[in-house]
Amino acid sequence: MPTSPKVFVSATSGDLRTMRSIVKEALLTIGCHPVEQTNFPPDYRSVHNMLHDKISDCQPLVHIVGLRYGAEPEPPATQRRSYTQLEYDIGRELQRKRGDKRFRVYTFVCPEDFPYDKEPDVEDDDKCELQRRHRAAILDGAMLYGTPADSHELEKRVLALQEEVIELRRRQMLRDRMILAVDLAVLLALGGIAYSVHELQKNTQTISEQGEQQTKLLQDFSADTRAKLEEIIAATRQQSKLGEQLSPQQRYDIALSEVAFKHNLTPKDLKAAIDAWTAKVQTAPNASAYDLALAEYKANHFDKAAEQAGKAYDQAMQARQQATSDAIKAAHLEGDAYNAMAKYELALVAYRKGAALLDKGQQPLQWAKEHNYVAAMLFYLACYQEAETLWQDILTVREQQLGANHAETANIFSNLAQVLRATNRLAEAEPLMRRALAIDEQSYGKEHPSVATNLNNLAQLLQATNRLDQAEPLMKRMVLIFLQFSQKTGHQHPNLQVGINNYQNLLAEMNTPAAESKARLDQLGKAAGFSPDEWLVLHASLTGPHVIKPMPGSQAERVGLQPGDMITRYASLSISSAAQLIELIGKTKGHDIPLEIVRDGKLMKFSVAEGKLGVELR
């Protein structure tokens, strides 16, 4: 992931100032952005809030423990804690709430003979005792820590964190990607499905009775198959930022279904038409580079797609007629291919060369659309100032051309709010989020998926500012909208998984018991119109443990478990996590223990004996 992960560095400056510098240099070497706090307000409450905001914006915290207690707030809290000890406490709390996969504290306890810096003064006995207790709590506790012998070993250990820290950043971005509306046209393609499906359901009888009309639709459609494939790629691009658990092929299949519904076609017929078109392109001796790029993208050969799209751009720039429009399309597809491979720097280059061909004065709306993709890539690469400046320009264009209350203008309000949020200007971000929400509710209706995205944005900001009671109804409404979409269309909305995860994280932060959290989700499933069996399958697909592979000769292999199976029940008890399943297996005795799974949307039942299943889970 090219975006630099943020790492908070926590260490006293009195005896570890050299180590702080070494750690910061090591972090920069592995592509991380070191963050630290050197100036503190006098009040304890202000200190805690300020540190929490800064640390929560990072992925891990590196806590280096020496012999010095260091400075503390005045007046101190009921339990005296130094600034660095407070940083450690906040990091541990974030790790507990977010989980090890999204935040982590790396602790290094320096021994007494460590090469400390010369201390500026001698601390009193009380401070020495407080630091001794802090060290003892870490050394005697259950959390992992390292004990570097010298500065070189500490540097080596920090350099070795590269892959783990980048993975933490990746997971955090996958969680937050839902909040960014990259292109309103894409959101319309996703969100407009609810209306299109409603119309399709009303006219189902008519369509089924008029087979000749459907045949004509398909014949007419064959003439613009390329346009439909481009539309699918646009929808796939949006899902690639939202669907953490979806493979490229799954994202493509969902996008294909959405486009089929939008055009009153069945997914099967649309897939057949596109398959036939791409097969023809791949065997045609004179196929254009652009068509070959589309075919390679459809086959998930993104590297080849980017190569062909680059050729198409070069050819278009050399041509005399329609050079601009063809080159822009080719550059855009090249950017999409790099985007799909998470090569965001290369995607930025491709989007920029297409956008550069547009004149802001002559083609203001198209200029704004193409530069929106450029700004999005800048945002993903943490180039926040550049992204903000560009989005401000785009906002000016859309307000002038479309009006301040247009849905496409609201899209830029949302994006600007995310830049403000990423740069810790939450008070400025909130009114933009509320304005975008109001415009989208007016434009699309209160049950539209793009409204749900706005609800998620605002709820996460309220959560970040500790207004949990205000955030909960917004998160709840967001999940219900995505569930209703999934129930109406018959396939899971790509944002649903992330939305439910966000809602469950909020409930956990509100100290909601697990049983009550599940009950709230069950109520939402019922409100969305799912039958008990349908909800069991969907809920399991979102929350239950999945089989990665059965072990050779194991019970799992003997009964026929397969990769991708979702385990929903064991010993007649609902399963919500791999840890719960492992615990139940250890406690349950006997033969013919019932085991239920979901495979390809169907519930299947098995009987197993006591003991290990012999399966790798995620």
Side-chain angles (χ1 to χ4, degrees):
M1 177 73 66
T3 307
S4 299
K6 296 180 181 179
V7 182
F8 193 92
V9 181
S10 170
T12 52
S13 57
D15 58 343
L16 291 170
R17 55 187 175 276
T18 300
M19 293 305 103
R20 288 174 70 141
S21 299
I22 289 174
V23 168
K24 287 191 289 183
E25 287 299 320
L27 290 171
L28 290 170
T29 300
I30 62 175
C32 297
H33 176 63
V35 178
E36 59 183 339
Q37 186 66 41
T38 55
N39 299 311
F40 296 92
D43 182 71
Y44 170 81
R45 290 164 297 180
S46 300
V47 168
H48 189 278
N49 292 339
M50 177 188 64
L51 285 175
H52 185 277
D53 290 344
K54 182 162 284 191
I55 295 171
S56 63
D57 191 42
C58 299
Q59 284 69 58
L61 179 146
V62 174
H63 183 59
I64 310 169
V65 188
L67 302 177
R68 188 174 177 83
Y69 178 75
E72 64 183 350
E74 293 290 346
T78 305
Q79 180 185 3
R80 290 179 64 182
R81 302 290 281 172
S82 68
Y83 291 128
T84 53
Q85 291 174 4
L86 280 173
E87 292 163 355
Y88 176 81
D89 294 342
I90 292 169
R92 284 295 183 211
E93 180 64 15
L94 287 170
Q95 184 173 4
R96 184 187 68 80
K97 289 180 177 179
R98 295 183 183 177
D100 290 347
K101 293 182 178 180
R102 289 184 41 238
F103 192 92
R104 199 166 299 167
V105 176
Y106 297 103
T107 307
F108 300 100
V109 182
C110 302
E112 292 188 11
D113 59 352
F114 193 82
Y116 295 104
D117 294 313
K118 184 178 179 180
E119 298 188 43
D121 53 39
V122 178
E123 291 189 320
D124 60 43
D125 291 343
D126 288 344
K127 287 187 174 181
C128 290
E129 176 61 18
L130 288 170
Q131 182 65 2
R132 187 196 65 77
R133 292 178 185 176
H134 179 59
R135 289 171 60 90
I138 293 173
L139 294 171
D140 297 337
M143 307 305 294
L144 295 176
Y145 61 86
T147 53
D150 52 35
S151 59
H152 298 296
E153 186 175 342
L154 177 59
E155 182 182 24
K156 285 175 58 179
R157 296 198 182 194
V158 173
L159 291 171
L161 297 178
Q162 182 177 25
E163 292 301 323
E164 289 188 29
V165 173
I166 290 176
E167 176 64 12
L168 287 170
R169 176 61 176 159
R170 185 189 74 82
R171 289 183 174 272
Q172 179 66 24
M173 290 188 71
L174 283 168
R175 175 178 180 267
D176 290 342
R177 280 291 154 77
M178 179 179 175
I179 64 180
L180 187 64
V182 178
D183 188 324
L184 183 69
V186 176
L187 290 176
L188 281 169
L190 292 171
I193 300 305
Y195 175 78
S196 300
V197 172
H198 176 64
E199 292 298 312
L200 180 62
Q201 290 173 338
K202 290 198 298 185
N203 296 309
T204 298
Q205 187 64 32
T206 304
I207 292 174
S208 64
E209 290 176 348
Q210 297 178 1
E212 293 181 2
Q213 180 181 350
Q214 178 74 358
T215 300
K216 186 177 186 302
L217 279 172
L218 289 172
Q219 290 173 343
D220 293 341
F221 174 73
S222 64
D224 63 347
T225 304
R226 184 200 318 198
K228 296 299 182 293
L229 180 53
E230 291 171 331
E231 196 172 342
I232 291 169
I233 291 172
T236 304
R237 180 196 315 121
Q238 179 72 3
Q239 292 165 21
S240 71
K241 299 295 176 293
L242 303 172
E244 179 176 2
Q245 302 297 333
L246 299 181
S247 67
Q249 187 60 52
Q250 289 172 319
R251 291 195 295 267
Y252 177 88
D253 290 342
I254 292 174
L256 184 146
S257 297
E258 291 168 352
V259 173
F261 279 123
K262 180 180 177 182
H263 294 281
N264 287 351
L265 294 164
T266 68
K268 180 179 179 181
D269 289 332
L270 177 55
K271 180 180 183 300
I274 290 176
D275 286 347
W277 183 84
T278 54
K280 183 178 180 180
V281 166
Q282 289 170 330
T283 56
N286 297 320
S288 70
Y290 181 76
D291 284 351
L292 288 170
L294 286 174
E296 295 290 4
Y297 191 106
K298 184 260 178 188
N300 292 332
H301 300 154
F302 302 122
D303 52 347
K304 294 180 180 179
E307 180 183 355
Q308 291 292 342
K311 290 180 181 179
Y313 171 85
D314 293 339
Q315 292 169 1
M317 292 299 291
Q318 294 171 5
R320 292 295 182 184
Q321 297 179 346
Q322 295 183 340
T324 299
S325 61
D326 288 349
I328 291 170
K329 285 174 61 177
H332 202 124
L333 181 56
E334 183 182 2
D336 290 345
Y338 284 127
N339 195 357
M341 293 185 286
K343 296 182 178 180
Y344 299 120
E345 288 104 335
L346 295 175
L348 175 61
V349 172
Y351 288 138
R352 269 180 165 160
K353 70 183 183 184
L357 298 175
L358 291 163
D359 185 279
K360 184 179 178 180
Q362 298 295 321
Q363 304 155 295
L365 289 178
Q366 191 177 359
W367 178 93
K369 177 183 177 182
E370 293 302 321
H371 280 83
N372 197 15
Y373 290 102
V374 174
M377 289 300 103
L378 290 169
F379 181 88
Y380 295 150
L381 292 167
C383 301
Y384 298 130
Q385 186 173 355
E386 290 181 74
E388 181 177 357
T389 300
L390 185 51
W391 267 323
Q392 288 286 6
D393 289 345
I394 295 169
L395 177 63
T396 299
V397 169
R398 289 191 174 176
E399 284 184 323
Q400 291 174 347
Q401 298 292 321
L402 302 172
N405 295 318
H406 194 279
E408 291 192 26
T409 306
N411 163 248
I412 306 304
F413 287 140
S414 293
N415 292 348
L416 278 170
Q418 299 318 317
V419 175
L420 295 171
R421 179 184 174 187
T423 52
N424 206 30
R425 291 177 283 169
L426 303 186
E428 298 175 58
E430 184 172 345
L432 293 183
M433 289 184 180
R434 292 189 182 277
R435 189 171 178 185
L437 173 61
I439 293 173
D440 281 352
E441 286 181 329
Q442 183 66 33
S443 299
Y444 305 129
K446 294 189 175 183
E447 296 182 355
H448 196 283
S450 65
V451 171
T453 301
N454 288 326
L455 289 167
N456 177 81
N457 296 351
L458 181 56
Q460 287 195 323
L461 184 143
L462 294 171
Q463 184 178 357
T465 51
N466 205 32
R467 289 176 281 174
L468 306 185
D469 290 340
Q470 296 179 43
E472 193 276 337
L474 301 184
M475 283 276 193
K476 180 178 179 180
R477 184 178 157 204
M478 173 266 295
V479 172
L480 180 60
I481 291 173
F482 287 142
L483 285 172
Q484 288 172 332
F485 174 95
S486 302
Q487 199 277 334
K488 289 177 182 178
T489 63
H491 66 270
Q492 180 181 317
H493 192 283
N495 292 12
L496 180 59
Q497 174 94 59
V498 180
I500 286 181
N501 289 345
N502 289 350
Y503 185 44
Q504 289 181 318
N505 289 337
L506 173 63
L507 292 176
E509 191 169 346
M510 297 174 71
N511 296 317
T512 306
E516 183 179 342
S517 296
K518 183 179 182 303
R520 292 192 190 188
L521 281 179
D522 290 344
Q523 291 171 358
L524 289 173
K526 183 177 181 181
F530 288 99
S531 69
D533 287 344
E534 289 172 336
W535 176 242
L536 175 64
V537 171
L538 179 61
H539 186 263
S541 70
L542 296 169
T543 61
H546 290 60
V547 173
I548 296 177
K549 63 179 179 181
M551 302 302 179
S554 65
Q555 283 203 88
E557 184 181 58
R558 286 196 295 273
V559 301
L561 295 189
Q562 299 178 10
D565 287 347
M566 299 167 291
I567 298 177
T568 59
R569 286 179 178 271
Y570 179 85
S572 301
L573 295 175
S574 296
I575 301 299
S576 59
S577 69
Q580 179 198 8
L581 175 62
I582 292 169
E583 183 180 0
L584 273 177
I585 289 173
K587 291 180 179 179
T588 306
K589 304 298 180 183
H591 298 282
D592 297 327
I593 300 169
L595 173 70
E596 297 182 16
I597 68 162
V598 173
R599 179 184 298 162
D600 297 329
K602 297 180 181 179
L603 188 64
M604 303 178 68
K605 298 181 180 181
F606 302 93
S607 292
V608 296
E610 64 182 57
K612 294 182 180 180
L613 289 177
V615 64
E616 187 177 345
L617 299 171
R618 65 170 172 84

